[in-house]
């Protein structure tokens, strides 16, 4: 029986779930303990575990929670009511496009930066790599020098994602020379990517 402990305390969403999912995938039958510091990652990790057919329980400790996951025999069925959104299997084989028209998500800039990094890291954790990230309007700033999102965008490219930047937008803001990652594109290529995609998700 294997036993593995993961310290995910202090990590931003979705890292606790990503680490837990990786441990479940890589471990044989046994026990995985995930240390988290609040209720939100506790609940997320537990839903992921049950959606993967594992038993899970949470124990409070002085620094947060210990989520104890018991990986069962291969072929175990997910529990009834498991969170299908926590599954990391691709829903289809068509291309998925993620469209960003701002350099942060939502109406609050500080929160929006946290959310943008969270969503991009979540996309990185999915096994479906036939994806395109399209950056238009202020979204092109995400791929320029000094951007808070450069690290995760570089990881997405390394995984096989395509990143297209609106050249007109770069020229409007006079930042074409500051592009650090991705391909400077045009309206036709961007429209072809969106119209030919199985799904377009706009942030």
């Amino acid at each position: 029986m294997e036993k593995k402990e993961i310290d995910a305390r202090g990590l931003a969403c979705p890292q606790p779930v990503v680490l837990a999912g990786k441990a479940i995938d890589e471990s044989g039958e046994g026990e995985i303990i995930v240390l988290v510091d609040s209720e939100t990652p506790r609940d997320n990790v537990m839903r992921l575990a049950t959606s993967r057919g594992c038993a899970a329980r949470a124990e409070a400790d002085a620094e947060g929670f210990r989520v104890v996951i018991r990986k069962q025999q291969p072929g175990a069925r997910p529990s009834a009511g498991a969170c299908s959104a926590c599954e990391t299997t691709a829903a289809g084989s068509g291309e998925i496009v993620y469209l960003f028209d701002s350099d942060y998500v939502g109406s609050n800039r500080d929160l929006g930066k946290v959310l943008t990094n969270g969503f991009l890291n979540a996309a990185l954790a999915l096994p479906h790599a036939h994806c395109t990230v399209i950056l238009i309007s202020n979204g092109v700033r995400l791929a320029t020098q000094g951007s808070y999102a450069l690290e995760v965008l570089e990881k997405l490219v390394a995984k096989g994602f395509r990143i297209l930047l609106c050249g007109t937008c770069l020229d409007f803001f006079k930042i074409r020379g500051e592009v650090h990652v991705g391909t400077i594109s045009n309206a036709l290529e961007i429209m072809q990517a969106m119209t030919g995609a199985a799904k377009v998700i706009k942030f």
Side-chain angles (χ1 to χ4, degrees):
M1 293 280 287
E2 294 185 35
K3 188 169 184 177
K4 180 180 291 188
E5 183 172 289
I6 299 168
D7 189 350
R9 291 171 295 191
L11 298 182
C13 172
Q15 288 305 308
V17 172
V18 171
L19 294 174
K22 183 177 180 182
I24 292 171
D25 290 341
E26 295 178 350
S27 301
E29 184 181 3
E31 192 172 83
I32 301 164
I33 298 172
V34 184
L35 305 178
V36 296
D37 52 13
S38 67
E39 295 177 353
T40 298
R42 176 200 66 187
D43 295 344
N44 289 338
V45 169
M46 290 187 68
R47 285 200 305 272
L48 171 70
T50 55
S51 76
R52 299 285 186 87
C54 302
R57 70 179 191 276
E59 305 168 348
D61 64 22
E63 298 181 59
F65 299 93
R66 291 163 45 92
V67 180
V68 182
I69 301 169
R70 184 167 292 279
K71 188 170 181 180
Q72 301 169 359
Q73 290 284 357
R77 299 180 64 84
S79 303
C83 175
S84 61
C86 296
E87 289 283 2
T88 57
T89 54
S93 58
E95 183 176 23
I96 298 174
V97 168
Y98 300 100
L99 175 66
F100 290 82
D101 65 356
S102 177
D103 57 346
Y104 61 95
V105 173
S107 58
N108 182 287
R109 188 177 187 86
D110 291 335
L111 173 60
K113 289 182 177 182
V114 176
L115 294 177
T116 300
N117 254 329
F119 286 129
L120 289 173
N121 274 291
L124 181 65
L126 298 175
H128 189 72
H130 189 46
C131 302
T132 297
V133 176
I134 295 177
L135 306 177
I136 64 172
S137 191
N138 272 306
V140 297
R141 297 183 186 277
L142 292 170
T144 58
Q145 186 175 356
S147 166
Y148 66 92
L150 278 182
E151 182 178 355
V152 65
L153 288 176
E154 289 171 345
K155 289 179 180 178
L156 287 169
V157 170
K159 188 177 179 181
F161 279 52
R162 180 173 58 153
I163 299 178
L164 300 180
L165 289 77
C166 169
T168 300
C169 305
L170 292 167
D171 291 338
F172 180 85
F173 296 121
K174 297 181 174 57
I175 54 174
R176 180 180 284 260
E178 297 177 27
V179 173
H180 189 81
V181 64
T183 299
I184 298 176
S185 187
N186 55 72
L188 177 60
E189 185 178 20
I190 288 172
M191 285 298 293
Q192 287 174 332
M194 291 193 294
T195 56
K199 183 181 294 185
V200 177
I201 301 173
K202 180 181 179 299
F203 290 92

